[in-house]
């Protein structure tokens, strides 16, 4: 498999997982309703819009596909490619995780070296 197809696969997997997770969170955890209304950028309330506070609150009660699209974009462009490259680097540096000691070292390396730059990038 070529490097480009590996990056594309990692990005698509991450985008899919993040999209499904966000949709499930909005519907199941946040209790948002699914609607057929048009969720274009012109409908998104802003501080400068003429929407009343009540209209803004009503909008927030519905599933936001633009939010899901933003998470998919992060997965496709940042999360998937970043962690593919980062974990490949750790594997090259540390080798296979054949013992508990190697697993613990790889985990610590990921937690303290790999994850902070990713969080800054978000």
């Amino acid at each position: 498999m070529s490097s480009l197809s590996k990056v594309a696969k990692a990005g698509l997997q991450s985008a899919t997982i993040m999209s499904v997770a966000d949709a499930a969170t909005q519907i199941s955890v946040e209790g948002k309703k699914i609607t057929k209304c048009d969720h274009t950028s012109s409908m998104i309330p802003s501080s400068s819009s003429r929407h009343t506070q009540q209209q803004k609150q009503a909008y927030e009660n519905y599933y936001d596909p633009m939010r899901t699209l933003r998470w998919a974009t992060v997965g496709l462009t940042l999360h998937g490619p970043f962690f593919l490259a980062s974990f490949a680097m750790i594997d090259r540096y540390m080798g296979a995780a054949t013992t508990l000691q190697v697993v613990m070292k790889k985990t610590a390396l990921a937690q303290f070296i790999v994850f902070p730059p990713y969080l800054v990038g978000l």
Side-chain angles (χ1 to χ4, degrees), residues 4 9 18 24 28 31 35 38 41 49 58 63-66 69 71 74 92 96 101-102 109 114 122:
L4 182 59
K9 181 180 177 182
M18 289 184 154
S28 299
T35 182
D38 181 24
S41 59
S49 72
Y63 170 72
D64 182 3
M66 295 305 293
L69 181 61
W71 278 112
V74 167
R92 278 192 307 274
Q101 184 179 10
V102 174
L109 190 62
V114 173
L122 276 179

Side-chain angles (χ1 to χ4, degrees), residues 106-119:
K106 288 175 94 170
T107 301
L109 190 62
Q111 292 294 318
F112 296 109
I113 304 298
V114 173
F115 288 112
Y118 170 74
L119 294 176

Side-chain angles (χ1 to χ4, degrees), residues 74-96:
V74 167
L76 183 65
T77 61
L78 178 65
H79 184 269
F82 179 82
F83 284 105
L84 174 71
S86 298
F87 290 130
M89 176 198 65
I90 290 173
D91 286 342
R92 278 192 307 274
Y93 178 71
M94 303 286 296

Side-chain angles (χ1 to χ4, degrees), residues 30-97:
E30 297 173 10
K32 292 187 176 186
K33 301 172 192 161
I34 298 176
T35 182
K36 292 184 180 180
C37 75
D38 181 24
H39 282 283
T40 62
S41 59
S42 63
M43 287 189 61
I44 297 174
S46 67
S47 58
S48 63
S49 72
R50 290 176 286 179
H51 292 281
T52 65
Q53 187 64 27
Q54 186 178 16
Q55 287 171 320
K56 289 180 184 179
Q57 289 173 344
Y59 176 80
E60 291 171 357
N61 291 330
Y62 288 96
Y63 170 72
D64 182 3
M66 295 305 293
R67 180 177 123 176
T68 302
L69 181 61
R70 286 190 301 270
W71 278 112
T73 302
V74 167
L76 183 65
T77 61
L78 178 65
H79 184 269
F82 179 82
F83 284 105
L84 174 71
S86 298
F87 290 130
M89 176 198 65
I90 290 173
D91 286 342
R92 278 192 307 274
Y93 178 71
M94 303 286 296

Side-chain angles (χ1 to χ4, degrees), residues 16-27:
T16 302
I17 291 167
M18 289 184 154
S19 297
V20 170
D22 181 64
T25 298
Q26 287 191 59
I27 295 164

